Amino acid sequence: MHLLNLGILAHVDAGKTSLTERLLHAAGVTDEIGSVDAGSTRTDTLALERQRGITIKSAVVSFPLDSVTVNLIDTPGHPDFIAEVERVLGVLDGAVLVVSAVEGVQAQTRVLMRTLRRLRIPTLVFVNKIDRRGAREEAVLRELARRLAVPLVPMGTATALGTRDARFVPRLGPSALDALTDHDDDLLTAYVTGDVPDDRLHTALATQTRQTLVHPVYFGSAITGAGVPELITGIERLLPTATGDPDAPLSGTVFKVERGPAGEKIAYARIFSGTLRVRDRVPFGGGGEVGGGGCVIGGVAQEAWITGLAVFEKGTDIRQDRVGAGRIAKVWGLGGIRIGDALGAPGRAYVHHFAPPTLETVVVPGPGADRRSLHLALTQLAEQDPLIGVSHDELRGETSVSLYGEVQKEVIQATLADEYGLDVTFRETTTLCIERLVGTGQAVEFNKRDPNPFLATVGLRVDPAPPGAGVRFRLEVELGSMPYAFFKAVEDTVRETLGQGPHGWRIPDCAVTMTHSGYSPRQSHAHQGFDKSMSSTGYDFRGLTPLVLIEALRRAGTLVHEPMHRFRIEAPADTLGALLPVLARLGAVPESTGAHGQEGVLEGAVPAARVHELEQRLPGLTRGEGELETSFDHYAPVTRGPLPERPRTDHNPLNRKEYLLNVTRRVGD
């Protein structure tokens, strides 16, 4: 039987999880349909998910159709959990984008469709909630066409909208033919002559859907089941099934990591080619780093024995001895695995399609809480969501986490309480900036020369890199000029030090070149063992590198950049005049205006730190009719007010005397 790895995506509250429950029931996997309101859904297993009625963690569940087995992945809809959605996209064969017939196209709907189109993932659209009061058909179709700007094929019409008797009547009308003939000249000729056989029409529909040229649209209700049989038929006939050679070399990608009851790591992996077997020794690595980047001498893959495998079948996971190409598997035994790691040969590259978090908060432990236990717990949570960065300030005894939004605070708080028995609160959320290099800078310190107290020579040059390039570490010295472990110590320390530039913010994009190297060979006194006071160790290179790198960064110069959000405001056209001066005071830059009848559209960029204030002020400025859509767009230099400084959490290599006192307990000249 063929396999299909299917994602269910939507804006929050559009009905994704309800649709998942209906599909499982229709396929005979469940006897009763789980309810979001009652907290009895199959895929929302976390206590907080059931309390709030939202999906937080992606979940995989399988069900059989006549000719295909579907691995269905229910994903979060709330924008605070966009990282969960991101990790799923790379393992999908197809998707269903759920839209509410009442609310229509919402902010997250547009973000998701843009990404699905960019990744060329075949997608069906399911307009849900046609049984709800206020449900619309033609208006939603127009909204889909205008706001998503994608070719749509309506697969039928809805009747008795807004009532429990609402139904979906399948029928391909003239608008469907118009969309299909745009990409098929032979079909256009047949259409003009009035001779379009049904099988020819459905073949063209399937072909163009799989090529992402068109997106079929179904109407229905996950609650009543209306339109769901037709959607199931579309899933089975229009979306492509998984491909891959089970006899080829192993290639897979890890998209989720969780911990089992005994604390063991369990990896969720899509196998693109080859076969994974229990007791195989498998190489893995290459993922888990936000803002990635190449490395000349690093990135050595790990290896581990596979101790257990499971696949998803008929609503549950079943242990197997082997898993072939096309399947999604749960994998035990990979202790050092990280999200984004490749299994075996590199397969599809794990690329971040969404921006990293732009907010940060300090986690405050409750009375009697163990700070070490808190840091360990947060580190384990970051394993499951690598875009939640965890940083620890040893001097202040504080731990910070990066976030997408305020809802994540509640999730982290509840998870720490329920799973780790830790009571925490949070300080006020602040905006996360970055630093970018202005020019090129270099510095060097030589072994056994004052004021260098370390037995190491390190020379580094830093060069700017374009946004998204990541951190690249290169060598201008011979790799054999000193032990490899010392080069690795320098590279690892460079990447760690770039987490806090001269102003305290992360430097995500630059090239760092090692220009000088040197060490003291292993020495010992007569009849005695190794004397580390006379011989270089990794400690020397780890200790010296931050001083050299920070000096090179200071000479290059850095600018603090703040996150900017792209905004789109739809409001009565006569209110746009009142909006413009307010946007100017918020530091926003309007870039385009337009009008659709009595409705005006304003687009531009606004500092992320001012988005919340804009959300609060918009209703009063637009008679309560304004709609705001924002999403991260880029970083821009801070031009208003003093440069934001971030308190350092390292040993402060900006201050040589303080740094050496902290690191070596002795002060250099």
Side-chain angles (χ1 to χ4, degrees):
M1 182 176 283
H2 295 297
L3 290 167
L4 168 63
N5 296 300
L6 178 72
I8 304 289
L9 301 93
H11 187 98
V12 65
D13 289 336
K16 286 181 301 71
T17 301
S18 296
L19 178 59
T20 298
E21 294 297 323
R22 174 61 68 173
L23 291 172
L24 294 177
H25 180 69
V29 171
T30 58
D31 295 329
E32 296 183 2
I33 299 175
S35 168
V36 174
D37 294 335
S40 58
T41 58
R42 189 66 170 265
T43 53
D44 285 346
T45 57
L46 298 180
L48 189 61
E49 289 180 314
R50 293 180 168 177
Q51 291 167 13
R52 290 187 61 97
I54 62 173
T55 301
I56 296 170
K57 295 292 183 183
S58 58
V60 183
V61 65
S62 180
F63 62 88
L65 299 179
D66 288 341
S67 61
V68 63
T69 295
V70 177
N71 286 328
L72 189 149
I73 308 177
D74 185 20
T75 62
H78 198 287
D80 280 14
F81 309 109
I82 194 66
E84 279 290 318
V85 179
E86 172 189 4
R87 292 189 284 271
V88 169
L89 295 176
V91 305
L92 297 182
D93 301 307
V96 174
L97 181 63
V98 184
V99 179
S100 168
V102 179
E103 287 81 13
V105 175
Q106 296 168 280
Q108 192 78 340
T109 315
R110 287 165 52 90
V111 171
L112 292 169
M113 179 55 88
R114 282 197 299 266
T115 307
L116 290 164
R117 293 279 293 176
R118 182 167 60 246
L119 298 178
R120 299 187 62 82
I121 297 174
T123 303
L124 311 180
V125 178
F126 184 72
V127 181
N128 192 25
K129 303 183 180 181
I130 63 172
D131 59 316
R132 291 271 304 277
R133 180 179 300 178
R136 302 163 297 150
E137 180 183 14
E138 292 299 327
V140 170
L141 280 173
R142 289 194 299 270
E143 206 172 310
L144 287 167
R146 179 173 63 85
R147 300 192 64 185
L148 298 185
V150 297
L152 304 171
V153 177
M155 298 298 291
T157 58
T159 62
L161 285 169
T163 72
R164 297 289 291 185
D165 295 325
R167 295 289 182 271
F168 178 67
V169 181
R171 184 177 70 88
L172 287 176
S175 60
L177 276 170
D178 290 342
L180 293 171
T181 54
D182 282 345
H183 306 285
D184 189 328
D185 291 339
D186 292 338
L187 186 63
L188 176 60
T189 301
Y191 177 43
V192 171
T193 60
D195 182 22
V196 183
D198 285 348
D199 59 342
R200 177 71 179 85
L201 191 60
H202 287 290
T203 298
L205 177 62
T207 299
Q208 293 189 30
T209 300
R210 291 167 186 169
Q211 295 174 346
T212 68
L213 297 175
V214 298
H215 300 283
V217 181
Y218 298 84
F219 284 78
S221 168
I223 298 300
T224 67
V228 173
E230 291 78 12
L231 175 65
I232 290 174
T233 299
I235 290 171
E236 190 172 10
R237 296 181 180 177
L238 302 181
L239 295 179
T241 54
T243 59
D245 182 359
D247 297 320
L250 176 67
S251 176
T253 298
V254 174
F255 66 93
K256 178 178 178 178
V257 174
E258 65 182 18
R259 287 190 176 263
E264 75 280 15
K265 279 189 178 181
I266 305 172
Y268 287 63
R270 164 74 189 265
I271 308 302
F272 291 106
S273 67
T275 300
L276 188 62
R277 300 175 179 84
V278 175
R279 293 183 294 279
D280 277 354
R281 187 169 178 81
V282 175
F284 65 90
E289 182 182 344
V290 178
C295 170
V296 171
I297 67 173
V300 177
Q302 304 178 61
E303 288 191 351
W305 297 100
I306 302 301
T307 60
L309 292 170
V311 297
F312 298 91
E313 289 187 9
K314 298 182 179 179
T316 187
D317 53 285
I318 300 174
R319 290 282 186 150
Q320 298 278 0
D321 290 331
R322 63 178 62 194
V323 177
R327 301 298 295 259
I328 289 177
K330 293 174 70 172
V331 187
W332 284 262
L334 305 175
I337 198 72
R338 300 179 300 175
I339 289 172
D341 276 350
L343 300 182
R348 297 186 190 178
Y350 179 70
V351 179
H352 294 287
H353 307 292
F354 296 99
T358 57
L359 302 174
E360 183 179 50
T361 186
V362 174
V363 184
V364 181
D370 181 3
R371 292 182 182 273
R372 288 189 176 183
S373 297
L374 173 60
H375 185 66
L376 176 61
L378 288 171
T379 301
Q380 291 186 357
L381 291 183
E383 290 175 352
Q384 301 172 29
D385 189 347
L387 294 185
I388 295 180
V390 177
S391 59
H392 184 64
D393 185 343
E394 294 183 3
L395 299 178
R396 298 176 181 82
E398 296 177 349
T399 301
S400 301
V401 294
S402 52
L403 307 166
Y404 280 102
E406 295 295 317
V407 175
Q408 277 183 299
K409 283 186 180 180
E410 184 179 345
V411 172
I412 293 173
Q413 186 178 44
T415 304
L416 290 173
D418 295 343
E419 297 185 15
Y420 297 92
L422 297 171
D423 180 28
V424 302
T425 56
F426 300 91
R427 290 190 192 158
E428 182 180 358
T429 302
T430 57
T431 303
L432 270 174
C433 298
I434 63 170
E435 293 182 52
R436 295 201 185 281
L437 295 184
V438 175
T440 294
Q442 57 185 357
V444 60
E445 296 212 19
F446 292 97
N447 185 9
K448 298 181 181 178
R449 290 191 194 174
D450 288 338
N452 176 13
F454 301 100
L455 295 178
T457 293
V458 174
L460 298 172
R461 184 180 68 248
V462 294
D463 296 287
V471 175
R472 297 190 177 273
F473 185 81
R474 303 179 296 205
L475 297 179
E476 279 187 0
V477 295
E478 291 293 333
L479 188 58
S481 62
M482 66 180 187
Y484 172 80
F486 295 161
F487 285 114
K488 191 67 170 67
V490 173
E491 180 197 350
D492 291 345
T493 308
V494 161
R495 294 183 180 277
E496 181 181 351
T497 305
L498 288 173
Q500 299 180 69
H503 296 282
W505 304 104
R506 182 173 65 94
I507 301 177
D509 305 299
C510 68
V512 181
T513 305
M514 191 167 185
T515 58
H516 296 76
S517 65
Y519 74 109
S520 294
R522 184 182 182 94
Q523 300 181 43
S524 61
H525 297 290
H527 310 296
Q528 295 182 11
F530 169 64
D531 185 352
K532 66 179 180 180
S533 69
M534 302 170 58
S535 311
S536 297
T537 66
Y539 159 83
D540 292 292
F541 288 90
R542 288 190 295 271
L544 182 59
T545 297
L547 288 172
V548 177
L549 181 57
I550 284 292
E551 182 59 30
L553 291 171
R554 276 203 289 208
R555 294 177 181 179
T558 64
L559 279 179
V560 177
H561 287 56
E562 64 180 334
M564 301 290 290
H565 280 222
R566 172 70 48 184
F567 73 82
R568 175 187 172 94
I569 295 175
E570 294 190 5
D574 61 353
T575 66
L576 296 187
L579 272 172
L580 291 174
V582 173
L583 290 171
R585 287 194 292 272
L586 295 176
V589 181
E591 296 175 0
S592 66
T593 58
H596 301 281
Q598 299 298 313
E599 183 182 77
V601 178
L602 188 60
E603 295 184 344
V606 60
R610 312 306 291 273
V611 168
H612 183 60
E613 184 177 350
L614 178 57
E615 291 172 339
Q616 291 181 315
R617 300 200 61 179
L618 186 64
L621 294 167
T622 60
R623 302 191 294 272
E625 299 180 45
E627 293 184 7
L628 173 66
E629 174 187 327
T630 67
S631 61
F632 172 83
D633 189 65
H634 66 284
Y635 288 94
V638 175
T639 57
R640 300 159 64 95
L643 286 180
E645 300 279 339
R646 188 187 190 195
R648 303 195 73 85
T649 60
D650 56 13
H651 291 301
N652 193 16
L654 284 169
N655 185 320
R656 185 183 189 90
K657 183 173 292 189
E658 177 185 337
Y659 177 83
L660 291 177
L661 185 62
N662 287 327
V663 174
T664 68
R665 299 302 172 189
R666 50 182 168 159
V667 180
D669 295 331

